[in-house]
Amino acid sequence: MFLNPTILNRLMKQAYKNYLYMAREGDWIYVAGSYWEASIREDFLPKKTKGDMIALAGDLPMSGERRRMNKEEDQFETGFRINVDIEPFQKYHQVLEVTDLILLGGGVYQRILQSPDTGSLYLINDVFVNLVDNSQAMVENGEIEVGTAPFYTSTNGVLWMNNVCRLHAAFRSADGKMLDAMAGCDLMPEIPE
């Protein structure tokens, strides 16, 4: 999987303080917090990551199951998502470029992403940019490296995906005036030729 296991473990532990969601659909394992979700094919799930999941959940869900858990409870849920929904992102095939600009707001580092088509700006928690790590991709087993520019829709957030892993993160809210003032400015670093 193209996710950094240490960062993913930290995100799962943070989510577990409120609610961590885990599910399975066939050979895909789904894990989510309140503003992010990931689906990973089990045969591409590193042993350490699988162990981290089991340490929090006790065991992995069976196919078709979804659980909501924290220290006090572990509840089965029905009628909720058990895999990252990629359909909204495939409809438009729009991508955002990850800039080098980071804002600190409310104690959270927020990365600025920019649409190469419109110049519009969006914010996500910087942890997700750091979570995407192609050095973790199991290329020797057939995993395709993921691009650095995620798919997006203005209402759904961003999606990084390849043939074995999907990561969806919600946008962070921001001072609209500041982003509007910066919109249209080319924030992408120039790459020397």
Side-chain angles (χ1 to χ4, degrees):
M1 72 176 181
F2 63 79
L3 305 177
N4 181 298
T6 303
I7 297 173
L8 180 59
N9 186 29
R10 189 172 72 231
L11 283 170
M12 289 189 301
K13 285 180 177 178
Q14 287 172 349
Y16 189 74
K17 291 176 184 175
N18 186 21
Y19 283 110
L20 176 68
Y21 302 89
M22 235 181 242
R24 179 192 298 260
E25 183 177 51
D27 62 349
W28 288 83
I29 303 292
Y30 173 86
V31 62
S34 59
Y35 56 94
W36 64 273
E37 60 185 346
S39 292
I40 307 151
R41 272 195 27 206
E42 187 173 9
D43 50 337
F44 285 83
L45 195 61
K47 288 180 184 177
K48 179 176 180 350
T49 303
K50 189 182 240 184
D52 293 340
M53 290 176 171
I54 291 169
L56 290 169
D59 58 4
L60 296 177
M62 303 294 287
S63 188
E65 287 182 351
R66 176 182 160 118
R67 294 166 46 200
R68 179 182 75 174
M69 62 195 81
N70 62 21
K71 273 187 173 180
E72 287 81 40
E73 65 178 299
D74 187 349
Q75 298 289 320
F76 285 94
E77 296 185 322
T78 58
F80 293 98
R81 185 173 320 164
I82 60 174
N83 209 334
V84 173
D85 183 12
I86 62 173
E87 185 178 342
F89 301 95
Q90 289 181 320
K91 185 175 181 182
Y92 300 105
H93 294 286
Q94 297 176 348
V95 296
L96 290 176
E97 296 294 335
V98 177
T99 73
D100 291 336
L101 298 175
I102 298 173
L103 300 176
L104 180 59
V108 176
Y109 290 103
Q110 303 171 70
R111 183 67 67 113
I112 296 178
L113 304 170
Q114 185 170 36
S115 167
D117 299 325
T118 66
S120 298
L121 302 176
Y122 300 89
L123 296 177
I124 63 166
N125 189 319
D126 190 50
V127 73
F128 299 113
V129 174
N130 297 320
L131 178 60
V132 175
D133 183 357
N134 271 322
S135 72
Q136 301 296 322
M138 298 177 194
V139 177
E140 67 281 358
N141 294 339
E143 181 175 0
I144 299 167
E145 289 186 353
V146 69
T148 57
F151 294 105
Y152 85 103
T153 72
S154 59
T155 55
N156 292 27
V158 293
L159 172 76
W160 282 273
M161 67 176 277
N162 67 7
N163 57 326
V164 302
C165 187
R166 302 167 181 161
L167 170 65
H168 168 236
F171 289 125
R172 295 197 51 93
S173 58
D175 176 0
K177 289 180 183 178
M178 180 195 62
L179 288 182
D180 288 345
M182 294 171 63
C185 297
D186 185 6
L187 301 179
M188 296 306 302
E190 290 201 22
I191 301 170
E193 293 183 29

